[in-house]
Each structure stands twice: as structure tokens, then as C-alpha cells.
Amino acid sequence: MARKNYLFTSESVSEGHPDKVCDRISDEVVDAYFREAPKAGMDPSQVRVACETLATTNRVVIAGETRGPASITPEFITELARKAIKDIGYEQNGFHWNTANIEVLLHAQSADIAQGVDASGNKDEGAGDQGIMFGYACNETPELMPAPLYYAQLILKLMADARHSGQTNQLGPDAKSRVTVRYENGKPVEATQIVVSTQHFDDNLSSSDVKKIIEPYVLKALPKGWVNGHTVWHVNPTGKFVIGGPDGDTGLTGRKIIVDTYGGAAPHGGGAFSGKDPTKVDRSAAYAARYLAKNVVAAGLGERCTIQLAYAIGVSQPLSIYVDLHGTGKVEEEKLEKVLGEIMNLSPRGIREHLGLNKPIYARTAAYGHFGRPPEKDGGFSWERTDLAPQLKSALS
């Protein structure tokens, strides 16, 4: 039997965290290939990108495999990276958008991988790699996300918005948050611990000074009454956080996969998302699994839903579909597994077409979570739609 009363903690990091700087640059590269492909007369479905970024003190290294228009040169990628770093807000001696040494080491996609992934003759496109992907949804928030992660993300997003708008000029781009939530009878009811570490420019600011700056954003992010006299705060626990970003710690693409997904409330298959085009099922199938899980919960078929999809490189359809409703289901999980495979084509091509993934929609996913964000008019966050809920209800009634 599932526990009803417990504490659960999730954490997030800001767009200026070293790893998130790298995720942003890698996803800007993905977007660039999708933007430039039509201009060069190339079908966007033929784009291939697997881009990794490393960032350290005033240095960025971008490497990986690509297939796309020749207009995307190392100079093009260098300028792209500088714009991303500037947009995040790095104009510091140790990491500056204009002076950072940027090295681009992208090369053509492996022919061995291409022959397994590309469609040919009667063969449909295969998965870009083997892997297992998980999707999750729950009814703890209107966005059907776990409450601890959702609010940890929102705190940092509000702080970043205030920094970008000029509402505050005291905070730097690099920050972390953590929220511990108390559950009563299985429902989130209050925040027992709040941790915020944020870079600041004034060397003389104390932890209590920083708390006064960030407290309004925390209170705005969390539901009314969740922060109370019992809530324990930890703000810049080391006492000072002036040196931040890649100058303070090396960043790498794909190191914040739990922040990107469900904050530890659900399993993760292990594959990162950023820097990968949607033929890579690490990304597209994780989006599809979230899409299906969210629609299951939106349809009222369960209060919580975990879905696993498994793929083999070069094979089109998933090897297995697994559903767990965690004892909250209104339908048999075995029947739901069958129906999910029928109402959506879960091949890499089917996922891309259903969710409209061959578009420059990825840079915005690099910070504050890939899930729990509203669908956008240009097709961004399409996996957050709940348009399958009526069909699911009908098929399982």
C-alpha cells in the first residue's frame, strides 16, 4: 500500500547553471538546423543533430554529429553560442559572451548510425539508439506535474524573469532551488523546507540580505499557506555566492536529467534530451511517454500514471509498452497498454509527426523543465496537450 503521509524533496537549477548553459547552447544548435534546413531546400525530417557542449572559465567546446545544410558553419555556431550566453546574462570576467573562447568540433553523422535510422525501401525509420524512456503525470498540480519539482522550477523562473526585466539587478544568472513538500493523505499540503542558492553581484550581501531579495518570488510561486511559521529556509547556506556559472564550476550538456523531468518522483531511463534531434528516442519517446501519461490522468483514468517505452536501434516500433497507475486506476493497465499503442503511432516518425517535432522549438526547453509547460502556438511543448483524453475515455469506456 502506498504511503499517505511523508516528505518529498525535488530541486531545480536556473538557466545560468553551468550545465544549463550547455543544454541551452546544444538546443540552440538543434533549432538552427531546423530553421536553416527549409531555406536550403532540405526536408527537416532529414536533419540529424547530436550536440554536446562543455563550458568552463571563459571557454566553450561544442562537439558532436550532425547532418544538415552547409550554411551552418563553425562561425555560424560560434555566433549562435555567443547570443545564447548573452541572453542568459553572462557578462562577467570569468565568463563573458563576447570574450569566451568558443571551439566548434561538429562533424558528419556516422554512416553506420544513419543506415539503421534512415528509411529505405519498405523499411521505416528506426530508432536512433536503444533505450528505455519514461513518462509520468499526476494530479498534484493543474499542470499534472509533481508539486515539489513544479514549484522548485517556478521559483527560479520568477527570479529569472525579475532579473531579465530589470526588476532586480542584484542577482546573477546562476541559481539553485529545492523544495521539501509534506504530503498528508497522499496530497501535498505545505513546504517544510526551502533552499535557494543564488549568485549575487554585491560581495557584501549576507544570506539574510539575499533572503529579503528572493522571498517575494518564493511566496508568489508557492500556493497560499504553504510557506508558514514552520517552514525552514536555507538561503545561500555557504554565506556567499559571487563566483558563479562556468567560471565557478564546469558545465556539460545532459547532466540535469532529473531536473528536466519529474524531480525524482518518477523513473528516468537515463538518456538526456538537450542537443538531440527527435529521431533520437531519448528525447522524442520521452516526450511521447509524458504526452500519453498526461492524457491518461487528464481523462480521469488514474490519479498517477507512469509509462515506459523501450526501443532498439534501427527498429521502428517500441519493443514494449508498460503502464503503472499506482493503485489509482479506473481501468485495467493491460488494456490501457494495448489502447495506447493503437491510438498513437509510437515509431520515431509517428511521434515526430503526431507531436510536430521537426521544428525549431527546443532552446526554450533547456531550462525550467521539459514538462509542465503550456503548449505554444508554434508547436512548442506540443507533448503537453491533452487532446487524446476524449479518445482514451471512449476507447476504455
Side-chain angles (χ1 to χ4, degrees), residues 27 49 57 70-71 101 104 135 138 141 183 194 219 222 224 255 287 298 302 317 324 342-343 349 381 386:
D27 274 337
V49 182
T57 302
S71 59
N101 183 338
V104 179
C138 61
T141 63
Y183 285 74
I194 293 170
L219 295 178
L222 293 170
K224 187 176 180 180
R255 277 207 299 203
Y287 289 175
Q317 291 295 327
D324 185 358
E342 292 171 348
I343 67 172
R349 183 200 297 269
F381 298 99
T386 55

Side-chain angles (χ1 to χ4, degrees), residues 52-69:
E52 311 288 348
T53 302
L54 176 148
T56 186
T57 302
N58 234 27
R59 186 173 183 85
V60 175
V61 179
I62 304 168
E65 299 183 335
T66 66
R67 183 171 76 194

Side-chain angles (χ1 to χ4, degrees), residues 3-10 140 147-149 151 179-194 222-223 225-228 230-232:
R3 291 180 63 186
K4 295 293 184 182
N5 303 312
Y6 57 93
L7 302 178
F8 194 85
T9 302
S10 292
E140 294 178 12
L149 177 68
Y151 294 118
V179 178
T180 299
V181 173
R182 183 171 70 84
Y183 285 74
E184 189 175 285
N185 294 320
K187 303 295 181 183
V189 295
E190 68 173 349
T192 64
Q193 305 266 346
I194 293 170
L222 293 170
W226 274 37
V227 180
N228 51 52
H230 302 293
T231 305
V232 178

